[in-house]
Amino acid sequence: MTKAVLEKSAARHIFIPKRVFIEPAALHYELGQHLRDYFSAEGIPVTVTGSHNRIVGIPGKTPQEGFFEAKRTLVIGVRKGKEFQTCKPSAHYQLPLVTSCPGKCEYCYLLTNLGKKPYLRIYVNLDEILSRASDYIQEHLPRETIFEGAATSDPIPVERYTGALKQAIEFFGQQEHARFRFVTKFTDIDSLLEAKHHGRTRFRFSLNTDYVITKFEHDTPSMTERVAAASKVARAGYPLGFLVAPIMIYAGWQQGYSELFAELDRVLDPLSRKDLTFELITHRFTRRAKNNIQEIFPKSQLDMNEEYRQFKYGQFGYGKYIYPKESMSEVKVHLENLLNRYFPEAKVEYLV
Ligand code: SF4
């Protein structure tokens, strides 16, 4: 791949792996063969590996190097486990399509969940995965079953290679008793605009202020690019959702979130506001997350000073540090004002 092509792709936040690993079993599937041939033809090294759970061969002498190299590594495998992970409280099950993400947000929850080498993993046995989803739907009848497609990943950056999300969206489009949802920060979404979703997939975008994106995210699209992509998605008739997270308090934060909502208001047409959801989450961290962040991003300026936070005991013994009550109230008041002013008809799923 030429330098010019790589630079252009980086500017558009298109994920191009530096190396690919593929399980032998994946080569029994058409998609596996196609991906091997495609990446080989692009001049990207493709190595046949033993198991997608034990990848050796990602370079990196330090935890940082290992992390950044893993973020440019794609592993293609076959999902063998029959059961899906649950995904409470927002959905019943995680739909296992993709793991990890090429973005490098300093606050990312995957820093704690995916270990030291968070390589991207995709599966080629999509038909089997969707067939298992179909069994779950049958088991839960007459209740509706909800599947989450982004519980351990951002699924958009690899979509151009797999078409997995489109296949899942069209599968759920045919299901009377199921719904699908996922969230992304990326804007390479054009291939999904034509998908026959029949309104059964909620397409959510994760947004933040320009300040937070510029300072704490790396290799993700800007706020205005995401809002523009959301507008395209809304025009394609998808139910739309916004996850505003992590909401941070910094000098000028009110102004930042006001600008974000004003931009949404400017770009979204009236039709897309009819079935709109918001999820709003203030910044929080665990001690474990803080240690991981400081190891990978030693110069991070994320505000993680425990002294200015309130400790909240969580499930499974992992306490988290949240903003103190007074700051929390200020955030709630400001965000509620913005919601009432710009999107009074939207459903606020939670503001925590
Ligand atoms: S885009 Fe999302 S999943 Fe990817 S690194 Fe950033 S927070 Fe994590």
Side-chain angles (χ1 to χ4, degrees):
M1 204 161 292
T2 66
K3 197 166 167 242
V5 171
L6 283 170
E7 276 169 5
K8 205 167 156 212
S9 304
R12 291 169 58 211
H13 303 287
I14 288 176
F15 170 62
I16 297 177
K18 196 167 162 188
R19 65 188 71 80
V20 173
F21 292 95
I22 188 161
E23 278 185 343
L27 293 168
H28 298 142
Y29 293 79
E30 216 179 304
L31 180 58
Q33 292 165 13
H34 160 75
L35 292 172
R36 175 201 52 194
D37 296 345
Y38 173 80
F39 288 119
S40 302
E42 292 290 315
I44 296 166
V46 178
T47 309
V48 178
T49 178
S51 158
H52 66 71
N53 290 321
R54 281 186 303 277
I55 299 298
V56 282
I58 300 175
K61 289 191 203 84
T62 63
Q64 281 158 292
E65 275 176 30
F67 173 86
F68 289 107
E69 290 293 340
K71 286 274 185 174
R72 297 211 47 201
T73 303
L74 179 66
V75 176
I76 304 169
V78 174
R79 188 174 195 274
K80 296 191 192 78
K82 269 278 182 204
E83 303 306 320
F84 292 178
Q85 301 274 328
T86 53
C87 194
K88 283 173 185 161
S90 55
H92 297 103
Y93 296 104
Q94 303 181 10
L95 188 74
L97 299 178
V98 185
T99 304
S100 195
C101 158
K104 294 152 199 99
C105 305
E106 295 178 18
Y107 55 73
C108 179
Y109 65 112
L110 298 178
L111 269 172
T112 309
N113 293 6
L114 291 185
K116 301 281 177 209
K117 297 228 170 138
Y119 52 83
L120 282 91
R121 191 165 62 197
I122 54 176
Y123 299 117
V124 292
N125 55 332
L126 291 172
D127 292 336
E128 289 158 30
I129 293 168
L130 293 176
S131 158
R132 184 66 188 104
S134 184
D135 295 341
Y136 280 122
I137 297 167
Q138 292 302 316
E139 283 166 26
H140 291 96
L141 286 177
R143 205 184 66 188
E144 195 168 66
T145 313
I146 302 171
F147 294 83
E148 166 65 58
T152 57
S153 69
D154 190 311
I156 290 291
V158 290
E159 177 63 12
R160 57 172 39 240
Y161 303 122
T162 63
L165 264 186
K166 185 173 185 203
Q167 193 176 331
I169 289 166
E170 296 200 331
F171 165 81
F172 287 106
Q174 301 296 322
Q175 306 297 319
E176 256 184 75
H177 294 95
R179 285 185 190 274
F180 184 43
R181 68 206 300 273
F182 63 89
V183 63
T184 185
K185 283 187 171 71
F186 288 84
T187 52
D188 187 14
I189 45 89
D190 286 0
S191 66
L192 301 176
L193 299 177
E194 299 289 309
K196 296 175 195 72
H197 57 79
H198 297 304
R200 305 204 74 82
T201 292
R202 186 169 298 279
F203 204 133
R204 292 138 66 225
F205 282 87
S206 169
L207 299 175
N208 221 314
T209 62
D210 271 333
Y211 173 86
V212 172
I213 292 174
T214 313
K215 204 156 173 76
F216 304 115
E217 296 185 6
H218 310 284
D219 299 332
T220 56
S222 68
M223 183 261 273
T224 45
E225 287 169 318
R226 286 181 222 178
V227 175
S231 156
K232 282 202 236 173
V233 161
R235 272 184 266 122
Y238 282 94
L240 194 61
F242 294 114
L243 172 67
V244 184
I247 298 170
M248 290 191 193
I249 297 180
Y250 56 89
W253 66 272
Q254 287 106 327
Q255 174 73 12
Y257 289 98
S258 298
E259 282 167 10
L260 169 62
F261 275 76
E263 178 65 5
L264 279 175
D265 182 53
R266 191 181 70 76
V267 172
L268 290 185
D269 59 33
L271 253 186
S272 54
R273 298 167 186 231
K274 282 202 171 143
D275 183 5
L276 183 60
T277 60
F278 279 91
E279 297 153 82
L280 305 112
I281 309 174
T282 51
H283 180 245
R284 62 227 21 242
F285 60 91
T286 60
R287 197 165 284 260
R288 200 169 142 216
K290 180 176 174 176
N291 292 341
N292 289 336
I293 292 166
Q294 287 176 334
E295 186 173 31
I296 304 297
F297 302 100
K299 294 195 182 126
S300 175
Q301 291 179 40
L302 268 179
D303 164 23
M304 293 186 291
N305 188 341
E306 292 90 343
E307 275 179 44
Y308 300 112
R309 297 286 181 133
Q310 189 175 317
F311 186 73
K312 190 177 171 197
Y313 288 96
Q315 274 179 316
F316 318 116
Y318 290 120
K320 48 194 160 194
Y321 293 91
I322 61 174
Y323 285 121
K325 247 191 196 133
E326 311 75 58
S327 314
M328 213 57 131
S329 308
E330 277 180 47
V331 171
K332 284 191 177 170
V333 167
H334 187 58
L335 271 293
E336 276 163 6
N337 282 341
L338 291 172
L339 286 160
N340 289 336
R341 175 171 171 196
Y342 292 115
F343 301 104
E345 61 285 82
K347 180 176 175 211
V348 180
E349 306 253 26
Y350 44 83
L351 169 47
V352 289

